[in-house]
Amino acid sequence: MLSKPATLLLGIIYEKPLNAYEITKLLNYMNIKWWFNIADSTVYTTLKNLEKRGLIEGTIEKVGNMPDRTVYSLTGKGADELKETIRKSILQFNYDTNIFTIAAFLMDILEKNELNGLLEKRLNILQSYLNGIQQQDNELWEQEVPATHVANLWRMIDIVNAEISGTRRLLSACGEERNHEK
């Protein structure tokens, strides 16, 4: 599975070939730093690593009197790995919600039927997490542990409930897109 920065950058390049400077400007324009802080240096390093792994390829371009620039495009291997990472990210729950946020940001890459199926499975996974967490909470347990443990358990329940709500919204949006396509 790809790292969060690699997933995000491959998803951006999936849309159209770009150079590193264009990618950093796009990330700034999209205000991604407010939910996933990716430094410009991380963009450049990640692009070089992706190129070494054969997931993207760089083409040197000369534009007028400007210095040469490397424009990156996705390889077939890169597209396959990106799609697999998005699938896996949808089907896992992690309290680091950026993993799913990046997958949600890029999920239009997948076919609608597959995406709907993955989101339905995610709802089942989240419900299982919620049921498991709630089983831990009872009056006896609350009396035996510090109040901070109880508060943290409730915080975890809040996070899972938020993920359930967000996943339902995404499913609904996918259904609306299908209605607009008809």
Side-chain angles (χ1 to χ4, degrees), residues 14 82-84 86-87 90 106-115 118:
Y14 183 92
L82 172 63
K83 289 176 183 178
E84 189 58 25
I86 292 170
R87 289 179 188 110
I90 291 171
L106 303 172
M107 63 180 44
D108 286 341
I109 291 171
L110 302 176
E111 295 292 325
K112 293 298 176 203
N113 288 339
E114 178 185 15
L115 178 57
L118 290 169

Side-chain angles (χ1 to χ4, degrees), residues 42-93:
T42 302
V43 170
Y44 286 88
T45 302
T46 303
L47 288 172
K48 289 297 177 195
N49 289 335
L50 291 170
E51 188 174 29
K52 285 178 190 171
R53 292 176 57 193
L55 303 178
I56 60 174
E57 56 188 13
T59 306
I60 306 293
E61 289 186 356
K62 179 79 173 158
V63 179
N65 293 331
M66 300 295 292
D68 290 350
R69 64 184 194 170
T70 304
V71 176
Y72 296 99
S73 57
L74 211 58
T75 63
K77 179 181 175 184
D80 291 344
E81 195 152 337
L82 172 63
K83 289 176 183 178
E84 189 58 25
T85 295
I86 292 170
R87 289 179 188 110
K88 287 180 179 178
S89 298
I90 291 171
L91 293 177
Q92 74 173 348
F93 173 69

Side-chain angles (χ1 to χ4, degrees), residues 13-147:
I13 296 169
Y14 183 92
E15 295 297 320
K16 72 177 188 176
L18 296 168
N19 66 41
Y21 177 76
E22 291 169 324
I23 292 169
T24 59
K25 289 300 170 200
L26 183 61
L27 291 169
N28 287 329
Y29 175 76
M30 297 167 67
N31 286 315
I32 287 176
K33 67 180 177 183
W34 294 110
W35 56 269
F36 181 62
N37 192 9
I38 181 170
D40 291 353
S41 59
T42 302
V43 170
Y44 286 88
T45 302
T46 303
L47 288 172
K48 289 297 177 195
N49 289 335
L50 291 170
E51 188 174 29
K52 285 178 190 171
R53 292 176 57 193
L55 303 178
I56 60 174
E57 56 188 13
T59 306
I60 306 293
E61 289 186 356
K62 179 79 173 158
V63 179
N65 293 331
M66 300 295 292
D68 290 350
R69 64 184 194 170
T70 304
V71 176
Y72 296 99
S73 57
L74 211 58
T75 63
K77 179 181 175 184
D80 291 344
E81 195 152 337
L82 172 63
K83 289 176 183 178
E84 189 58 25
T85 295
I86 292 170
R87 289 179 188 110
K88 287 180 179 178
S89 298
I90 291 171
L91 293 177
Q92 74 173 348
F93 173 69
N94 192 312
Y95 285 99
D96 173 1
T97 59
N98 279 335
I99 295 166
F100 180 67
T101 301
I102 292 169
F105 184 70
L106 303 172
M107 63 180 44
D108 286 341
I109 291 171
L110 302 176
E111 295 292 325
K112 293 298 176 203
N113 288 339
E114 178 185 15
L115 178 57
N116 284 337
L118 290 169
L119 290 170
E120 289 287 351
K121 286 179 183 176
R122 178 176 177 78
L123 278 176
N124 292 333
I125 292 166
L126 291 168
Q127 192 59 55
S128 294
Y129 267 88
L130 184 60
N131 294 341
I133 295 167
Q134 289 172 331
Q135 286 178 10
Q136 183 178 346
D137 190 21
N138 62 60
E139 286 184 38
L140 180 61
W141 177 79
E142 287 185 18
Q143 293 169 2
E144 294 177 354
V145 299

Side-chain angles (χ1 to χ4, degrees), residues 3 7 13 15 17 24 66-67 80 97 117 121 136-137 153 161 164 167 169-170 173 177 180:
S3 68
T7 303
I13 296 169
E15 295 297 320
T24 59
M66 300 295 292
D80 291 344
T97 59
K121 286 179 183 176
Q136 183 178 346
D137 190 21
L153 181 80
N161 277 324
I164 289 170
T167 301
R169 252 189 223 115
L170 289 167
E177 284 181 18
H180 287 120

